[in-house]
Amino acid sequence: MELRHLRYFVAVAETCHFGRAAERLHMAQPALSQSVRQLESHLGATLFTRTTRQVSLTSAGEYLLEEARRILDAVDASATGVQRISEGRRGLARIGFTGTAVFSQLPAIARAIERDLPDIDLEVHADQLTPQLCEGLSEGRLDLAVLRPPATGDDTAVRAIAVEPLVLALPSDHRLVDEPEIAMADLRTEGFVLYASKDSAVNEAIQRAARAAGFTPRRSHLAPGTAVLLALVAAGLGIGLVPESARALPLEGVTFHDVTDAGAVELALAWHEPASALVEQVVGVLDAAGILTDRPSATGAPR
């Protein structure tokens, strides 16, 4: 038995007419009749009652019609699934996020993918530093990453998402909490809680802003991520400059304050080249949704 035998049988069963079934299948009626007889011979059962005026299903034919439809639907669904996977429209997208970017970017990214690529599931890896994300991309553990450029790796493509200002995280009883305006120069005597990674883009932005204000920030503690950094600030062990999206992490004992000249850090989407079909689909959807910008990233021109 071949799939074509089942398709021919279903066409005859649904029309109860060999001539009309042959027209639907774009084949000669004698060839169709022969194929149905071959199927009946193979199964050892009569599927149709034939008279000069009427063709009708036997009990065995009625049962086979139900099963044939189920089988053919499953085959068609499998073929469609394979095609969608090949086109990158079905599968699993593993996306990593640096620090608090998961709060500011994940909702919009997830909505866009769910709307335009409903057969793609998301696997989210949150609160990682950019070097970890670049490593995940190069080693194939991640498909995409929302990180802070520059991104390492010769085969890493980058598209800018946004520029995020740095804001000041203060212990709630700090002397500067009630100041109407704070500048970097006001922080020259403070101890800073910095990120532990030597390649932290936020640390580099802090260093640039401090140098412009005429001082070098004094390190009081190191934190592996934003959540720990804010906890150390809440404990009164220093102040911190963090991306503005950290405001989404309200913590008792921490007050956020704007700084006039603290600078900003870039947020970008990165992936490993050559991109898979799935990655190309996701990038295209995020681009169409306006999540990606055409502004050059810190690593060069947009890809």
Side-chain angles (χ1 to χ4, degrees):
M1 188 193 311
E2 299 177 15
L3 287 176
R4 64 184 178 88
H5 290 126
L6 293 181
R7 295 190 191 279
Y8 297 164
F9 164 74
V10 169
V12 176
E14 290 179 344
T15 60
C16 287
H17 195 285
F18 277 85
R20 286 196 293 270
E23 290 178 3
R24 179 199 289 189
L25 296 168
H26 305 290
M27 64 185 300
Q29 181 177 334
L32 175 60
S33 299
Q34 183 181 4
S35 292
V36 171
R37 285 195 297 271
Q38 288 175 347
L39 179 60
E40 289 177 317
S41 175
H42 177 78
L43 294 174
T46 300
L47 301 175
F48 294 100
T49 299
R50 304 165 175 84
T51 68
T52 55
R53 293 186 176 183
Q54 183 179 354
V55 175
S56 59
L57 286 167
T58 64
S59 296
E62 290 175 352
Y63 173 78
L64 181 60
L65 177 59
E66 181 179 341
E67 291 298 300
R69 283 171 170 164
R70 180 182 61 80
I71 291 168
L72 293 174
D73 285 347
V75 170
D76 291 341
S78 297
T80 299
V82 169
Q83 185 178 18
R84 290 180 70 80
I85 291 172
S86 176
E87 293 172 348
R89 303 187 65 83
R90 183 173 184 173
L92 178 67
R94 301 162 299 170
I95 307 181
F97 289 83
T98 185
T100 55
V102 70
F103 297 104
S104 61
Q105 301 301 321
L106 177 57
I109 289 173
R111 278 195 299 269
I113 293 174
E114 174 63 23
R115 182 185 64 244
D116 296 334
L117 297 169
D119 291 330
I120 288 184
D121 296 321
L122 295 184
E123 181 180 287
V124 177
H125 300 256
D127 202 19
Q128 297 190 34
L129 298 178
T130 291
Q132 292 175 281
L133 294 172
C134 290
E135 186 177 284
L137 292 174
S138 64
E139 293 180 357
R141 290 182 282 105
L142 293 174
D143 300 301
L144 297 137
V146 177
L147 46 72
R148 302 195 187 281
T152 58
D154 294 337
D155 297 324
T156 302
V158 179
R159 281 286 303 275
I161 294 177
V163 174
E164 194 173 2
L166 294 179
V167 298
L168 181 61
L170 293 169
S172 294
D173 58 356
H174 195 277
R175 63 182 178 84
L176 295 174
V177 164
D178 295 324
E179 290 293 323
E181 186 174 282
I182 297 176
M184 285 297 297
D186 298 321
L187 309 178
R188 64 173 61 248
T189 61
E190 300 291 333
F192 283 74
V193 182
L194 300 172
Y195 289 95
S197 172
K198 63 182 179 62
D199 298 316
S200 167
V202 175
N203 284 357
E204 292 179 5
I206 294 170
Q207 295 284 352
R208 287 195 300 271
R211 283 196 299 269
F215 72 98
T216 299
R218 178 171 60 86
R219 186 186 74 189
S220 62
H221 288 278
L222 295 176
T226 303
V228 174
L229 187 152
L230 294 179
L232 292 174
V233 170
L237 299 182
I239 66 169
L241 282 170
V242 293
E244 188 176 37
S245 52
R247 293 184 189 270
L249 285 171
L251 183 64
E252 185 177 354
V254 175
T255 298
F256 293 101
H257 205 301
D258 292 335
V259 180
T260 57
D261 54 349
V265 287
E266 186 181 22
L267 208 56
L269 182 72
W271 62 93
H272 189 72
E273 292 282 18
S276 67
L278 183 146
V279 167
E280 289 181 347
Q281 288 285 353
V282 171
V283 171
V285 163
L286 299 186
D287 197 7
I291 294 172
L292 307 181
T293 75
D294 291 329
R295 185 178 50 77
S297 74
T299 57
R303 301 287 292 273

